Amino acid sequence: MERRQVTAAGKAPPRQQLPPGFRFHPTDEELVVQYLRRKALARPLPAAVIPVVHVAALPDPWDLPGASEGEAAYFFNLRQAPPRRRRTASGYWKATGKEKPVFVQLQGPSGSGSGKRLLVGVKTALAFHRGKGKASLTRTDWVMHEYRLAAAPGDSQQSCEWVVCRVSLKNNRARRPSAADAGSETTAAVHREREDGAGGDHHRPSSPSSSCVTDTCHASDHHEEISSSSSQ
């Protein structure tokens, strides 16, 4: 029987341990078919690496295991009627843009692609806004992709359904924010402008690009395959 780990409202789920050297970088199709679909059908998962988060209040993104270390964080959520915003202790997630379909390529009799695709899920992008009042709201670089199963033709959207979420920081500079962030960032920007003016044509070396191990770019940019046990 699947071991379910559920957190209290607004609290971060426990960190799921992987063997040294392993990273969890599933594709959109693998998240939907191998994890979300099995979760919704109460079937065993390929690996116990995605915790369950309570629906009442999501944790702040920097409190999710792995997200504060520059990696993507994942969790299941039994979502009620789809709200436009998902609230946390420090702000809320707001949907941006249009939903995107998730397809799988069907295999032909010989094992090669048949050219046909099957719609298996829908992906929604959300941005995290920090603050409480309208005057203090700030859109951050935290991004969440929420996946749900595609409804069968003619079926209306369920009032309660399982979703799986991927949370990451776009610029890969994950850290816990402080109350002095706004003022310190403004001061730092002024100092940088003064230094640039005094330094003439001197340019600071660019930072090295992130490795594939800790890449937290858009979900569609993850092309690494998980272990072969996921496809069984």
Side-chain angles (χ1 to χ4, degrees):
M1 181 180 296
E2 180 188 349
R3 185 179 180 182
R4 299 176 61 185
Q5 296 190 13
V6 183
T7 66
K11 293 187 178 180
R15 184 178 182 84
Q16 307 300 297
Q17 296 297 327
L18 289 173
F22 282 81
R23 298 294 184 271
F24 187 60
H25 284 167
T27 62
D28 290 353
E29 296 84 354
E30 289 167 338
L31 267 180
V32 173
V33 176
Q34 299 296 336
Y35 289 89
L36 179 57
R37 182 173 179 273
R38 294 188 180 194
K39 183 68 176 178
L41 297 175
R43 294 179 179 176
L45 302 181
V49 293
I50 303 180
V52 177
V53 171
H54 196 279
V55 70
L58 297 179
D60 288 323
W62 48 83
D63 287 333
L64 291 168
S68 60
E69 300 170 7
E71 298 185 11
Y74 300 82
F75 61 88
F76 287 116
N77 185 217
L78 188 58
R79 193 189 66 178
Q80 304 296 328
R84 185 69 179 173
R85 299 176 180 179
R86 284 71 158 163
R87 298 196 176 277
T88 73
S90 301
Y92 62 84
W93 293 98
K94 183 179 179 180
T96 60
K98 297 181 179 180
E99 295 182 335
K100 295 183 179 180
V102 178
F103 294 99
V104 294
Q105 188 74 34
L106 298 180
Q107 297 293 325
S110 61
S112 60
S114 64
K116 296 182 179 180
R117 299 188 302 170
L118 177 65
L119 178 65
V120 293
V122 178
K123 178 173 69 173
T124 302
L126 302 97
F128 186 71
H129 295 254
R130 187 165 182 255
K132 293 297 182 180
K134 291 184 178 180
S136 62
L137 283 177
T138 302
R139 178 168 175 168
T140 70
D141 288 331
W142 287 100
V143 176
M144 178 168 70
H145 289 110
E146 182 183 82
Y147 300 80
R148 61 179 175 84
L149 295 176
D155 290 350
S156 59
Q157 196 171 41
Q158 302 178 16
S159 60
C160 183
E161 62 180 340
W162 282 106
V163 297
V164 63
C165 301
R166 174 195 276 132
V167 176
S168 60
L169 193 62
K170 285 193 298 185
N171 58 10
N172 203 22
R173 294 186 293 109
R175 66 183 179 87
R176 184 185 298 271
S178 64
D181 277 348
S184 61
E185 289 176 0
T186 302
T187 303
V190 173
H191 284 309
R192 284 196 297 268
E193 291 177 359
R194 291 176 178 175
E195 291 174 358
D196 291 342
D201 294 331
H202 177 70
H203 295 282
R204 293 186 299 272
S206 59
S207 60
S209 59
S210 60
S211 69
C212 62
V213 173
T214 58
D215 189 8
T216 57
C217 297
H218 261 254
S220 59
D221 294 334
H222 290 296
H223 296 296
E224 295 84 351
E225 294 291 333
I226 59 175
S227 62
S228 59
S229 61
S230 299
S231 60
Q232 298 177 356

